[in-house]
Amino acid sequence: MKGIYQNAMTKHKVSILLVCVFISLLEFKVEAKTSPPLEREIEAKLRLLNKPAVKSIKSEDGDIIDCVEIYKQPAFDLPALKNHRIQMVPSFLPESENSSTAGVFNASSDIFQTWQKSGSCPDETIPIRRIRKEDLLRADSLDRFGRKPPEVFDNSTSIMSGIVEVTNRSDAYLVAVGYNFIGGQANINVWNPRVDKPEDFTTAQLWLKAANGDNNFESIEAGWIVNPTLYGDHRTRLFVHWTRDTYNKTGCFDLLCSGFVHTNKNIVLGGTLGPISSPGGQQYELNYAIYSDNHGKWWLKVKNNVPVGYWPAEIVRNLQHSASLVQWGGQVFSYGVKTDPPHTGTQMGSGGPAGGRFGHASYMSTVRIIDYSLKLKYPQIVGAHASEPDCYNTLNDVQFGKDPVFYFGGEGRNPHCP
């Protein structure tokens, strides 16, 4: 009888053990199923964005710069660029003019990127700013990380005129409209404007655009930006951007998607710039130029004749041939523009009005276009536009015998822009 009892107890213990194992496995499966999908998406996105580094550099501004083999950069994740051979040297390199040659005024061009003080990348590599988990968590969505928000158009305006109003941006720019622009350039002085709201950003930049139908355009852009949501701080940074469909589903900042082909091992896209201009003090400017090499590539060069890389023909359509308009100026993105008060307090340019002129306002000097004459020239016809002149304004200072200087900017919210 005792043996029968012990045998029963043994079977009972085994049953209990099996039940415990089953419950443990069930709990494991439940835990696996309930682990946040977002975590896995973030890890996958980070693996896609952060390519294996040959060398990494810790910059004093907090950025980590990865030196990545040039053919492993994000551009080559695009199937259309699978067999693309990088062009290291532009086939056409127009000579830029500096401010002193143009007879404007003396400003320093001794601009550098902060990371350059901490090291350099080897040959056959390019520097890429490393993306971190916290960068992705600040984005509205992983799918739109690194992209400009889509523009919401006012249907009463026309894209072909270059005067297009949108409800989530405020622009102040100089524009030249035509049919055969193959380049544009300007010297832009560097400031660090205040950004009021976490989702706001502010730029000083150059745009080259081509229309793709009503309220639909493609654009390639470069300049400086303060964008805390994207970069995690309020520093002034060099940026590039592109879109083929008015920022809807294509394009991005810097190298945050496949597109721009980076070729310069000494310049990082999204890197901080310095020194910064000061009100009434020393002005620091950086030359930006975008131009076509007649093979569908659009090159970016800075500091007069330093090529940074190019937008390849495969990522654009009408821009493979030429741009229909060129814009120089600033833009503030915010849901607090063109709406009921209060207006955003995000500044444009220096934060001062255009009328402050040199030393106080943000400016663009040596404004030039390139057409099929292949010569840099001041546009024959230009127009200045500010979508909210009480908030951000413009002044195209044209004086006899002097090169015109375009001033723009403003403080945003003020007694006249409540």
Side-chain angles (χ1 to χ4, degrees), residues 41-43 45-47 49-50 56-66 128-139 142 145 229-233 235 237 256:
E41 291 179 27
I42 286 175
E43 290 303 318
K45 188 78 169 180
L46 289 173
R47 287 193 297 271
L49 292 171
N50 295 320
S56 294
I57 300 168
K58 179 66 181 296
S59 174
E60 67 180 42
D61 58 15
D63 285 351
I64 297 176
I65 307 302
D66 290 326
I128 302 180
R129 180 179 174 272
R130 185 182 299 179
I131 304 303
R132 307 179 206 194
K133 179 179 178 180
E134 53 266 34
D135 297 323
L136 300 182
L137 290 174
R138 287 191 303 270
L142 290 182
F145 174 73
T229 295
L230 182 60
Y231 299 109
D233 58 29
R235 299 176 188 272
R237 296 172 177 271
L256 298 178

Side-chain angles (χ1 to χ4, degrees), residues 25 104 179 269:
L25 290 172
V104 186
Y179 299 100
L269 300 177

